[in-house]
Amino acid sequence: MSVPVPRRAVLRGAVLLGATALTPFGGGRAAWAAATRVDQPVIANCATWAARPPSSDVSVVQSRPNKIIVHHTAFPNATDYSLAHAYQNSRDIQNLHMDTNGWLDSGQHFTNSRGGHLTEGRHGSLHALLHGQTMVQGAHCVGQNSQAIGIENDGTYLDGQPPQALWDSLVWFCAFTCQQYGIPPNEIYGHKDFNNTQCPGLLHDRLPELRSAVATRLGG
Ligand SMILES: [Zn+2]
């Protein structure tokens, strides 16, 4: 039951309403809530998981991203699904990206754990997402870092599927991000669509399912 044109029109209308309503605080809040179809998932910000400060200023891109790119971390598949583990995983990724890769901060904008816990990656990503007008420049996919939101899904999915909790939070995150930025659900990709990599493994095979689930979430 795909009716792409009306659905997109409805989505765009909702986003515009939201952006207008958000500018003046106060009375605008109610209008924003009424226009919002997808509730905000819990996303722990950098301070919550005790991120290190960036080694230099994060760049803010003064435009909206036009797509989402899905990754897997290629870390071992943890069996600890706790929030504490999600925070530790966020610190591990940041340490790897800053100390080994020499980047100024985490490369990805957001991280999703095997327990389904979402965290902010690069500083400023969550603030930008909630306002829906800008993005911070990432370091997750060569050629796409100023136009694509990158989400790292913890684990390696070359041979096995991710836990259901990870999948469910990925769907929710993508739907909310599409809503906030006015990104069409069919603009969700995998890392291997742009760079020579196996990332995100079997999650790439499930992109049609992901796009469909996100579209349903947005338009249902
Ligand atoms: Zn990747």
Side-chain angles (χ1 to χ4, degrees):
M1 42 173 262
S2 172
V3 195
V5 173
R7 180 178 292 155
R8 233 174 261 133
V10 168
L11 172 61
R12 192 173 298 124
V15 168
L16 285 175
L17 256 182
T20 307
L22 197 64
T23 310
F25 286 103
R29 288 278 170 106
W32 168 253
T36 300
R37 289 167 170 268
V38 181
D39 290 339
Q40 180 190 337
V42 172
I43 302 175
N45 65 20
C46 286
T48 302
W49 56 264
R52 295 156 59 183
S55 61
S56 60
D57 288 347
V58 170
S59 298
V60 177
V61 180
Q62 296 297 331
S63 58
R64 294 173 125 190
N66 59 14
K67 66 178 74 66
I68 297 170
I69 296 180
V70 173
H71 301 263
H72 68 177
T73 59
F75 285 7
N77 288 335
T79 53
D80 182 348
Y81 293 165
S82 69
L83 187 59
H85 183 272
Y87 292 178
Q88 181 61 53
N89 182 54
S90 295
R91 291 191 291 270
D92 291 344
I93 294 171
Q94 189 189 31
N95 288 335
L96 177 72
H97 287 180
M98 292 180 74
D99 299 336
T100 302
N101 297 8
W103 297 344
L104 61 92
D105 195 357
S106 302
Q108 79 283 9
H109 296 97
F110 297 96
T111 313
N112 187 18
S113 82
R114 287 169 54 82
H117 303 294
L118 294 163
T119 55
E120 182 180 33
R122 182 158 292 197
H123 284 78
S125 299
L126 183 57
H127 176 86
L129 175 66
L130 296 182
H131 287 78
Q133 300 301 318
T134 64
M135 64 176 285
V136 301
Q137 182 169 337
H140 63 92
C141 181
V142 175
Q144 294 293 325
N145 289 314
S146 297
Q147 52 198 303
I149 294 297
I151 177 150
E152 283 282 2
N153 294 279
D154 189 34
T156 303
Y157 302 110
L158 299 179
D159 299 318
Q161 292 288 343
Q164 187 65 37
L166 180 149
W167 177 261
D168 291 345
S169 57
L170 178 62
V171 171
W172 193 355
F173 169 80
C174 287
F176 182 71
T177 299
C178 284
Q179 170 183 267
Q180 292 299 103
Y181 283 128
I183 298 172
N186 60 6
E187 293 297 315
I188 301 173
Y189 297 95
H191 190 180
K192 68 192 290 186
D193 290 323
F194 300 97
N195 296 163
N196 183 19
T197 173
Q198 291 182 297
C199 174
L202 295 175
L203 276 171
H204 189 269
D205 299 347
R206 295 181 69 181
L207 286 174
E209 180 186 350
L210 179 61
R211 293 174 186 133
S212 173
V214 168
T216 299
R217 196 75 173 247
L218 285 164

